[in-house]
Amino acid sequence: MLFGVNLIPHPSISGVKIIENKNNFPISWLNTQGYCEYSIFLENVRKIITAPTRAMIQGSREHSVLEEKFKEEAEPATFDEMLESSKTAEILSRELPVISASYGIRGFIDEVWMTPDEFIIIDDKPGTVAYPSSINQVYGYCMAFKDMIKEDRKIVASLRQRGTDNVFWASYFDEKAEKKINYIINHMHELISGTKDFNSTDNPNKCNKCRFNRSCDRRV
Ligand code: SF4
C-alpha cells in the first residue's frame, strides 16, 4: 500500500501498477519519453538493468540532503490539513506524493508551495535548461495534483536548478498546458497497452549519453 491505495503490479511492465482497473505509470516517464521512449521499453519491458549514471547518483544525494534539512523543521500534516491551512497561510511541502487513478499517473513532487492564491509545483533539475521533456514532467505533476485538490486555486508549474533557489522556468498550468499533457499521457497509455510501438530517437548525441546504449538494438 502506497499513496493510500492498493498498487497491483502490471503482469509484464515493471514500472506500471494497476490502480482502480487502470494502468498507472510514474510521472517521471513523461520526461524520459521526451528523451527517448525506447529507453522506457528497454528498462521496463525487456528489464535491462544498468548502473546508475553519475548524474543520477549526484541527483539522489542532493535530494536526500534537502529532504533531511526539511525534515528537521517540518511539522507532519495530512494532505487535507495542508490544503485547509493554506487557505489562510503559506505552506511548504517536500516530496509530496501525488496520484491520479483517472489519468493513470503517480509520482512525488520535489516541492509544493501552497498559498491562499495559488499552488506552485516545483521540480528540481540539474541544470537551467527548460527542456520540453522537463516541462512535460512538471505538467504531469500539476495534472495529478489538480485531480487531487478539486478546487479552483491556480497552479503554477516551475523548474528550479537543483540545490539553489533559482527558478529558471515557470508557467501557469492553464487549459492549453492541460490539453498538451493529456495528449502525451494518453500516448503513454497507448504504448503501455501495446496499441502503439515505443519509438526511438534518431539523435546520436542522445544515444551517446544514454545509459542503455551498450544493450540497445536501435542505437544511432
Ligand atoms: S541508445 Fe539511443 S535509441 Fe537506444 S534507448 Fe538510448 S537513446 Fe534510445
Side-chain angles (χ1 to χ4, degrees):
M1 184 96 95
L2 189 65
F3 300 103
V5 292
N6 265 333
L7 308 180
I8 301 166
H10 187 278
S12 58
I13 307 180
S14 45
V16 175
K17 307 289 181 196
I18 298 165
I19 298 166
E20 296 180 12
N21 294 319
K22 185 176 168 85
N23 289 329
N24 191 296
F25 67 87
I27 290 170
S28 59
W29 284 13
L30 296 170
N31 191 348
T32 317
Q33 187 272 336
Y35 189 86
C36 174
E37 58 192 32
Y38 196 61
S39 68
I40 298 173
F41 173 82
L42 292 178
E43 182 166 26
N44 297 278
V45 181
R46 289 229 183 119
K47 300 184 175 57
I48 291 173
I49 296 169
T50 64
T53 61
R54 198 187 300 172
M56 285 163 79
I57 295 169
Q58 194 178 343
S60 111
R61 258 195 221 129
E62 286 173 1
H63 234 88
S64 311
V65 170
L66 284 173
E67 186 65 5
E68 283 312 308
K69 210 167 140 195
F70 175 74
K71 277 187 191 157
E72 282 168 17
E73 296 170 7
E75 289 177 28
T78 66
F79 185 67
D80 287 343
E81 284 167 350
M82 287 192 286
L83 279 186
E84 194 50 41
S85 305
S86 68
K87 288 178 181 166
T88 51
E90 293 194 4
I91 304 277
L92 189 148
S93 175
R94 273 197 63 81
E95 290 297 313
L96 182 76
V98 282
I99 187 162
S100 164
S102 50
Y103 289 107
I105 51 175
R106 66 184 192 282
F108 292 85
I109 305 177
D110 284 334
E111 200 164 295
V112 182
W113 301 344
M114 303 185 183
T115 79
D117 301 319
E118 58 191 17
F119 299 105
I120 301 169
I121 308 288
I122 299 177
D123 193 29
D124 286 327
K125 291 292 169 210
T128 56
V129 180
Y131 293 109
S133 56
S134 305
I135 293 172
N136 289 346
Q137 182 178 2
V138 73
Y139 278 168
Y141 292 128
C142 293
M143 189 69 133
F145 186 85
K146 186 174 179 187
D147 198 35
M148 288 171 72
I149 57 170
K150 317 277 187 213
E151 62 160 283
D152 290 337
R153 264 182 274 179
K154 282 185 178 168
I155 298 176
V156 182
S158 319
L159 297 174
R160 181 175 63 185
Q161 185 179 12
R162 186 172 292 142
T164 75
D165 293 330
N166 178 21
V167 173
F168 59 87
W169 177 90
S171 177
Y172 276 113
F173 184 62
D174 55 14
E175 210 176 308
K176 194 174 160 207
E178 209 172 307
K179 210 171 157 190
K180 181 185 172 213
I181 201 59
N182 195 25
Y183 177 84
I184 298 170
I185 290 170
N186 285 337
H187 170 73
M188 289 300 303
H189 282 295
E190 287 173 325
L191 297 178
I192 291 165
S193 67
T195 53
K196 268 189 188 169
D197 289 333
F198 286 84
N199 270 323
S200 49
T201 183
D202 54 7
N203 180 344
N205 292 330
K206 286 187 176 182
C207 291
N208 286 340
K209 290 183 202 147
C210 173
R211 67 194 168 103
F212 294 100
N213 59 16
R214 288 196 184 164
S215 33
C216 180
D217 52 337
R218 294 207 195 158
R219 180 180 178 169
V220 286

